[in-house]
Structures are given as C-alpha cells and as structure tokens.
Amino acid sequence: MAHGNVVEDLLMRIGFVVDSACDLPGDYLHRHGFTILPITTRIDEATLVDDRDPAVRQRFLDEDLGTRAHAAETEPFGVEEIRDLFLRRLVVDYDCVFCITIASSRSGIHANASKASFAILTDYRPIRRDAGVPGPFLMRVIDSENLFAATGVTAVEAVRLRESGMNPGQMRERLEYIAHNTFGYMIVRDLYYMRARAQKKGDRSVGWFSAALGTALDIKPLLRGYRNTTAPVAKVRGFDQGAETLFGYIAKRVRTGLLTPTVCVSYGGRLDELDTLPGYASLKQVCAEHGVEVYEAPMSVTGMVNVGTGAVTIGFASPEHEFGG
C-alpha cells in the first residue's frame, strides 16, 4: 500500500494559480502552466483587466494612466469567480492546485480564494467523475505574506518542488516556510503618489509631512515587506542612490546565503530601464557567482496603480535579518 501511495504521488498532476500582482516573467508563467487570477482596475472612464497581458500594461504606460491612478478602484476576483474557474477547468486538468496569493493583509484575494476552496472541495466530485477523471482533488491556498516581486519567490519555489517530485503535503509545508521567510524590498519615485494612494485605501502609513519633506529633499524611503507587514527600514537621498544601496545590500545577503536560489525583481516601467540603475549589474554578477537565478519581470498594472510607475521591488527568501546587517 505504501508503495502505491508513492506511485500516486509521483503521477499526481499539480497545478499553480497566482494573482496578477505576482511579478514573474510572462514566459516563465506560461512555460510552467500558471493560471492567473485577474484584478480589474478602473481609472476614470478606463477599465483595465490586469491578467499580466503585455498589451494591457503597455496601454497603461502609453496613455499615462499612472498620473491619475492614485484614485483608481481595484477589484480582485471574487469568491464565485474563483469557484467557477476551478470547477470549469482546474479540477479536471489537475489533481492538486496550489493557489499562491499576494499578502492577505493587503488584498482580499487570499480571503476570497480560501472561501471559494470550501465550495470547490464540496462540488468537484461529479465534475471529475463526468470527465472520467478518477481520484480526489486537492486545493491549497498559500498566503505569500508579501507583495509583487516577493510573491514570485514562493511561486518559483513551488515549480522547483513540483519538478523534484515532492508530494503535496511536503510542498505545502515548504511553501509556507518560504513565504514566512521571504523579504520584499521596494523603492518608489513619488511619495506624493504613495500618500494619495494610501489615503484612498485608508492606509495612514505615509503622512503629508513625510511626503512633502521627502519630495523637497529628494529623500526616498526603502520599504520592506515581511510577514504581512510593510514598513520603511531606511531613507536615502535620491532614487538612483536608493537603488544602488538596495542592490548592494541584497548582494550582501546573497553572499551570506539564501533559503532558495532565487531573486525576483520587478520594475514599473520599460524593463530595459532596470539595467541602467546603478548597482544592478553588480547584483546580477554576484547572483551568477553564487548560483542564484534572477527573475526580471515588468511590474503588474495592479502594482503600478498601488505604488506608482518607476518603482522597483525585489524579493528573496533568507534567514531573519535587519536591513544593513
């Protein structure tokens, strides 16, 4: 019997779902069969369905929608939409699906997916039976506890674990551990935008005085996402210097040792601009020397709506540390 279970584990078809704010390269998501949960954004009269379609992102940039996106309304996939997506397709295509979401403290997607999972696991049996698919269906919802590029770290690890033949129980334990130990760092260009967006969402973390002071002196905060909390960890003079400081620090963490051989980076503009930022080439060189793969992705429309265009986010899994240490 034990041998049979091992065989079943090896033959189990495991799929992945992420929301559109998970910043990973489009070809990577396509190659590994990721399903995207879209997020709808309404900016004045414009409605954009963010499913990581490059054309939607290009429209956002070409029409300069970011200049007025601080007042945008965003709407994640609802409970019924997630339920319908799974029952229409995923419960037949896969035997187990991991749904990896943006931080539950920042979005309702995790709560919606968790609620939908109860209905999915109740209703899937006749659908699989009618399709001639034997056996049970499993669904696991994983809170990445982080944002944007940092969410990608857990998703990349999920692919690695699937390819290693790990069973769903082991995968879940490992993915929750990685999510809980992933650090996401971000530097933004426009504090006024961040303040306006935060006020729109009822987040008082960016005050008027700090926004005005930061703009006047060109002081930029380095923000850290960690275990569902986002907070500033340092201040630097100028965006370029901030980027160089951030990249240099992450190179130090790579040398110290990461929990997964992965660094994910996203940029809220043309991706080729990333290579022009000071310190980035050095970071990539250090990663190459230490066997760490760098995944570069354009920031989602959802990400740019929330933090402004031109922002950089970067994530990696690491033992606990303090910035600068």
Side-chain angles (χ1 to χ4, degrees):
M1 180 64 70
H3 177 73
N5 288 340
V6 170
V7 171
E8 288 171 9
D9 287 339
L10 291 173
L11 297 177
M12 180 171 277
R13 301 168 303 158
I14 297 175
F16 303 123
V17 172
V18 293
D19 56 71
S20 60
C22 176
D23 288 337
L24 281 172
D27 60 343
Y28 180 87
L29 293 169
H30 177 74
R31 186 165 69 251
H32 295 289
F34 279 83
T35 298
I36 308 296
L37 297 180
I39 299 173
T40 300
T41 298
R42 295 178 180 85
I43 306 170
D44 297 336
E45 301 302 315
T47 298
L48 303 177
V49 178
D50 180 13
D51 57 0
R52 301 201 66 84
D53 182 345
V56 174
R57 186 173 178 278
Q58 197 59 49
R59 179 189 171 192
F60 181 86
L61 295 172
D62 289 347
E63 297 182 15
D64 204 17
L65 295 176
T67 58
R68 56 187 194 276
H70 65 271
E73 299 284 348
T74 57
E75 182 181 338
F77 238 37
V79 175
E80 290 300 314
E81 291 171 304
I82 295 173
R83 173 189 173 276
D84 291 347
L85 170 66
F86 271 78
L87 295 181
R88 186 173 65 249
R89 180 163 59 88
L90 299 180
V91 301
V92 173
D93 290 349
Y94 299 102
D95 303 313
C96 175
V97 171
F98 286 89
C99 182
I100 301 167
T101 74
I102 195 170
S104 60
S105 61
R106 290 285 173 174
S107 170
I109 294 177
H110 183 268
N112 290 350
S114 297
K115 291 175 184 175
S117 69
F118 294 108
I120 294 163
L121 294 175
T122 298
D123 298 340
Y124 78 81
R125 288 177 178 83
I127 297 171
R128 279 173 70 90
R129 184 186 64 235
D130 292 347
V133 179
F137 175 78
L138 303 176
M139 177 180 176
R140 301 291 182 257
V141 182
I142 305 291
D143 182 358
S144 76
E145 304 186 27
N146 227 301
L147 303 172
F148 312 141
T151 300
V153 175
T154 302
V156 169
E157 182 68 359
V159 171
R160 191 183 72 80
L161 297 179
R162 180 178 66 182
E163 291 178 348
S164 74
M166 189 175 285
N167 70 46
Q170 295 169 322
M171 287 182 66
R172 179 180 187 174
E173 183 176 352
R174 172 68 176 174
L175 293 177
E176 289 178 343
Y177 171 76
I178 293 302
H180 200 55
N181 290 282
T182 291
F183 291 79
Y185 288 94
M186 176 168 62
I187 181 168
V188 303
R189 292 187 185 269
D190 187 345
L191 285 179
Y192 276 114
Y193 181 95
M194 280 285 288
R195 172 181 171 271
R197 183 63 186 164
Q199 285 185 324
K200 170 70 177 176
K201 300 188 74 175
D203 182 349
R204 302 299 177 186
S205 61
V206 182
W208 181 87
F209 179 76
S210 63
L213 180 66
T215 301
L217 301 178
D218 199 22
I219 293 173
K220 307 293 184 187
L222 291 180
L223 302 170
R224 185 186 76 174
Y226 180 59
R227 297 183 178 175
N228 266 314
T229 299
T230 306
V233 291
K235 292 182 179 178
V236 292
R237 180 68 63 84
F239 184 87
D240 281 1
Q241 184 173 331
E244 187 170 23
T245 299
L246 179 57
F247 295 144
Y249 173 69
I250 294 173
K252 179 180 177 182
R253 299 310 313 172
V254 170
R255 293 188 186 99
T256 301
L258 304 182
L259 297 176
T260 69
T262 304
V263 169
C264 295
V265 189
S266 69
Y267 181 69
R270 294 199 336 266
L271 203 52
D272 57 1
E273 295 174 4
L274 192 57
D275 285 321
T276 69
L277 295 178
Y280 187 60
S282 297
L283 169 60
K284 289 204 292 186
Q285 179 62 35
V286 170
C287 287
E289 291 168 358
H290 288 79
V292 172
E293 189 161 1
V294 178
Y295 295 83
E296 299 175 346
M299 186 178 287
S300 67
V301 168
T302 303
M304 290 188 285
V305 163
N306 280 289
V307 301
T309 56
V312 172
T313 72
I314 186 164
F316 56 91
S318 164
E320 192 167 355
H321 60 271
E322 293 299 324
F323 185 82

